[in-house]
């Protein structure tokens, strides 16, 4: 029951979860009385096409009803945590965001082991690193089936690259900016020829190396690694400090109004973004239509940023039916539908060879077929990344140190040591 104590110790939105639990218990009760219909409660977050796919599944499988509940990401995960803590009110099926995954792995006894339901039979359909991310440390428990991923690529402004004398064709850009050193050199050319910064923020400079590191702030025992020789976070930190010192890093914080305006107006030349950023740009950067392209990043920066899994809480009375629906939902054919409808980038690699995927052109990116770029990026990722429960609080402390270096001219080494001290304090709470 150690994992349950961890859950109870975290303050969450219990009022919301208890309300959902009451509704869910009623449905479970109704399920128990029904002889002909199995009702599956499915909790999701964000923009998916799962409501439409659920209806399609119902038509193909008479006697199964899938009730999809969509919520905001934080609300969704907090409500699920609280329901699991209470021991009642959890849905039959639940999405788990990749950055929240380790938090839920501490309560694996509250989930069905999908290997027991037949998941090993479909394992080969998915990217190996994505699949392993859904396993426990020993690899004998699978908490969720793979859905979308967020492979990172280089988004770049064609007009600024052209003014800087850099290549503008995506393949030529990838061949030219093929190492961290070449990345720096391109940034200096942009600065010299256009007067613009190369990348938007110190955070994105930090994440260049960080996102692809297999171990970062913590090991799987919860021990802080920042003072260990060769720590990947220190490498990422030093690289961000270097890029900032070169004067090629901006102060546009992602998602801020200033950042959105800079994307539209071309106030910075490049962004290290995941596949899902493409959807934001298409909907929010109308002034920049045709001015951005996408190329693969240097292999040292290959990484995943975002994505989800679909799990089955052990409270369900219909585990086999829930698994059958989940496996159908994340099949290659349906991942292609999710990609075309909502931009959810597939983790099933056979999709990358489908014509509808390869020929999907993006008007925003000047008619470029960006999907193959992200597909290559996905296959360049080396392995699963361990984060742990305290990843984001510690991440914030190190990022604050970098922001002090950039905005206040603070000493990088002093800020690094202070960030370590604060991180130790977080772990001792």
């Amino acid at each position: 029951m150690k994992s349950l104590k961890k859950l109870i110790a975290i303050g969450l939105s219990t009022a919301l979860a208890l309300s959902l639990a009451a509704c869910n218990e009623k449905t479970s009760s109704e399920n128990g009385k029904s002889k002909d219909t199995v009702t599956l409660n499915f909790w999701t977050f964000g923009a998916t096409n799962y409501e439409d796919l659920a209806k399609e599944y119902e038509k193909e499988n008479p006697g199964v009803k899938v009730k999809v509940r969509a919520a905001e990401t934080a609300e969704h995960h907090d409500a699920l945590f609280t329901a699991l803590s209470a021991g009642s009110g959890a849905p039959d099926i639940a999405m788990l965001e990749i950055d929240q995954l380790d938090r839920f792995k501490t309560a694996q006894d509250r989930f069905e082991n999908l290997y027991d339901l037949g998941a090993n039979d479909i394992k080969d359909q998915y990217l190996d690193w994505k699949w392993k991310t859904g396993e426990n440390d020993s690899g004998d428990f699978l908490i969720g089936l793979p859905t979308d991923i967020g492979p990172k690529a280089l988004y770049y402004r064609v007009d600024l690259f052209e003014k800087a004398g850099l290549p503008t064709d995506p393949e030529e850009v990838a061949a030219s900016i093929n190492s961290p050193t070449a990345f720096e050199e391109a940034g200096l050319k942009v600065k010299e020829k256009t007067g613009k910064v190369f990348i938007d923020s110190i955070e994105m400079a930090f994440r260049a190396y960080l996102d692809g590191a297999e171990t970062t702030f913590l090991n799987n025992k919860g021990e802080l690694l920042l003072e260990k020789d060769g720590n990947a976070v220190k490498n990422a930190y030093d690289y961000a400090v270097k890029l900032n010192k070169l004067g090629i890093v901006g102060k546009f914080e992602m998602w801020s109004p200033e950042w959105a305006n800079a994307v539209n107006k071309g106030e910075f030349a490049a962004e290290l973004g995941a596949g899902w950023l493409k959807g934001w740009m298409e909907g929010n950067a109308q002034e920049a239509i045709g001015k951005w392209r996408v190329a693969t990043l240097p292999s040292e920066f290959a990484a995943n940023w975002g994505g989800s899994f679909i799990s089955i809480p052990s409270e369900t009375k219909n585990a086999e039916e829930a698994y059958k629906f989940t496996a159908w939902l994340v099949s290659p054919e349906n991942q292609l539908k999710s990609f075309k409808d909502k931009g959810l980038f597939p983790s099933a690699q056979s999709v990358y060879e489908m014509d509808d995927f390869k020929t999907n052109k993006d008007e925003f990116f000047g008619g470029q077929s960006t999907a193959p770029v992200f597909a290559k990026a996905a296959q360049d990722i080396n392995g699963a990344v361990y984060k742990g429960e305290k990843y984001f609080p510690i991440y914030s402390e190190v990022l604050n140190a970098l922001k002090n270096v950039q905005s206040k001219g603070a000493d990088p080494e002093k800020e690094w040591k202070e960030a370590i001290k604060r991180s130790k304090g977080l772990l001792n709470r």
Side-chain angles (χ1 to χ4, degrees):
M1 300 300 289
K2 181 179 179 182
S3 59
L4 180 58
K5 290 179 182 179
K6 286 185 180 180
L7 294 176
I8 295 173
I10 301 174
L12 298 167
S13 50
T14 52
L16 170 63
L18 290 175
S19 171
L20 291 167
C23 176
N24 202 53
E25 285 172 357
K26 180 180 178 182
T27 303
S28 297
S29 174
E30 291 172 353
N31 289 347
K33 294 178 182 178
S34 173
K35 295 181 180 179
D36 300 317
T37 301
V38 172
T39 299
L40 301 174
N41 286 294
F42 181 18
W43 288 6
T44 71
F45 61 87
T48 70
N49 70 332
Y50 293 160
E51 294 90 344
D52 293 337
L53 286 175
K55 291 176 183 176
E56 186 177 325
Y57 186 82
E58 290 172 350
K59 290 180 181 178
E60 295 178 8
N61 296 271
V64 179
K65 176 70 176 176
V66 183
K67 292 186 175 180
V68 181
R69 168 195 174 268
E72 293 298 318
T73 304
E75 174 191 315
H76 164 86
H77 288 94
D78 285 353
L80 180 59
F81 237 109
T82 304
L84 293 171
S85 301
S88 64
D92 300 280
I93 309 167
M95 284 180 68
L96 298 175
E97 205 272 336
I98 192 169
D99 287 339
Q100 300 273 351
L101 196 61
D102 288 328
R103 177 184 173 197
F104 284 91
K105 283 183 178 179
T106 63
Q108 88 173 26
D109 58 323
R110 298 285 164 165
F111 292 90
E112 292 287 328
N113 183 353
L114 301 188
Y115 280 135
D116 294 339
L117 295 170
N120 204 52
D121 294 339
I122 59 173
K123 180 178 180 179
D124 291 344
Q125 295 181 21
Y126 303 91
L127 292 164
D128 184 60
W129 63 264
K130 174 70 171 182
W131 187 275
K132 287 181 177 178
T133 303
E135 293 181 328
N136 64 355
D137 292 340
S138 58
D140 58 6
F141 191 101
L142 185 70
I143 197 172
L145 290 182
T147 58
D148 59 307
I149 57 175
K152 290 179 67 176
L154 180 69
Y155 290 76
Y156 62 95
R157 289 276 304 206
V158 173
D159 51 351
L160 294 181
F161 267 47
E162 191 171 24
K163 288 179 182 177
L166 294 169
T168 58
D169 175 78
E171 291 187 4
E172 292 178 4
V173 169
S176 173
I177 305 178
N178 60 359
S179 70
T181 299
F183 188 84
E184 298 163 29
E185 291 171 351
L188 288 171
K189 287 180 180 178
V190 168
K191 176 187 174 184
E192 178 187 355
K193 300 293 185 179
T194 73
K196 306 289 186 182
V197 292
F198 191 52
I199 54 175
D200 57 339
S201 68
I202 194 80
E203 181 174 13
M204 292 302 105
F206 177 46
R207 296 189 72 150
Y209 270 112
L210 182 74
D211 286 344
E214 292 186 33
T215 46
T216 54
F217 302 102
L218 304 160
N219 62 21
N220 57 14
K221 296 179 182 178
E223 299 167 335
L224 192 68
L225 301 176
L226 298 184
E227 293 178 293
K228 301 290 185 182
D229 290 341
N231 176 255
V233 179
K234 186 62 163 64
N235 181 46
Y237 181 93
D238 289 344
Y239 189 69
V241 169
K242 181 181 181 180
L243 295 188
N244 182 65
K245 189 174 182 179
L246 291 173
I248 61 176
V249 178
K251 296 181 180 179
F252 302 106
E253 187 172 346
M254 186 175 261
W255 310 128
S256 68
E258 294 79 13
W259 177 83
N261 184 63
V263 173
N264 270 289
K265 303 292 187 183
E267 295 300 323
F268 59 90
E271 177 69 274
L272 285 70
W276 44 258
L277 180 60
K278 183 168 72 74
W280 182 92
M281 285 185 160
E282 290 168 341
N284 298 276
Q286 294 300 301
E287 294 178 57
I289 292 175
K291 296 181 180 179
W292 288 87
R293 299 289 186 278
V294 180
T296 52
L297 285 163
S299 59
E300 293 89 341
F301 297 163
N304 181 72
W305 180 5
S308 306
F309 294 81
I310 300 184
S311 65
I312 301 176
S314 55
E315 191 181 316
T316 182
K317 301 288 194 298
N318 300 295
E320 291 185 3
E321 195 62 59
Y323 175 77
K324 182 181 176 184
F325 167 72
T326 301
W328 176 88
L329 186 72
V330 302
S331 66
E333 294 75 18
N334 285 324
Q335 286 204 3
L336 177 62
K337 292 177 184 177
S338 296
F339 170 72
K340 293 175 69 176
D341 290 352
K342 295 295 182 181
L344 302 184
F345 201 84
S347 58
Q349 61 263 43
S350 63
V351 179
Y352 306 158
E353 301 304 319
M354 296 179 181
D355 288 340
D356 280 358
F357 177 86
K358 294 190 294 184
T359 60
N360 188 52
K361 296 186 183 297
D362 296 292
E363 180 187 351
F364 182 88
F365 294 91
Q368 180 189 2
S369 293
T370 62
V373 176
F374 290 106
K376 184 180 185 307
Q379 293 171 94
D380 285 343
I381 296 170
N382 291 322
V385 176
Y386 177 79
K387 293 191 172 180
E389 293 181 76
K390 294 292 181 73
Y391 179 92
F392 281 105
I394 298 174
Y395 173 92
S396 295
E397 294 298 348
V398 177
L399 180 58
N400 286 337
L402 283 169
K403 287 181 177 179
N404 287 339
V405 171
Q406 184 183 41
S407 63
K408 301 178 182 179
D411 178 69
E413 287 306 310
K414 182 178 179 181
E415 287 295 327
W416 172 253
K417 291 176 182 177
E418 288 297 319
I420 292 175
K421 186 186 298 184
R422 294 193 300 269
S423 298
K424 288 179 178 178
L426 286 170
L427 293 179
N428 292 329
R429 289 177 189 172

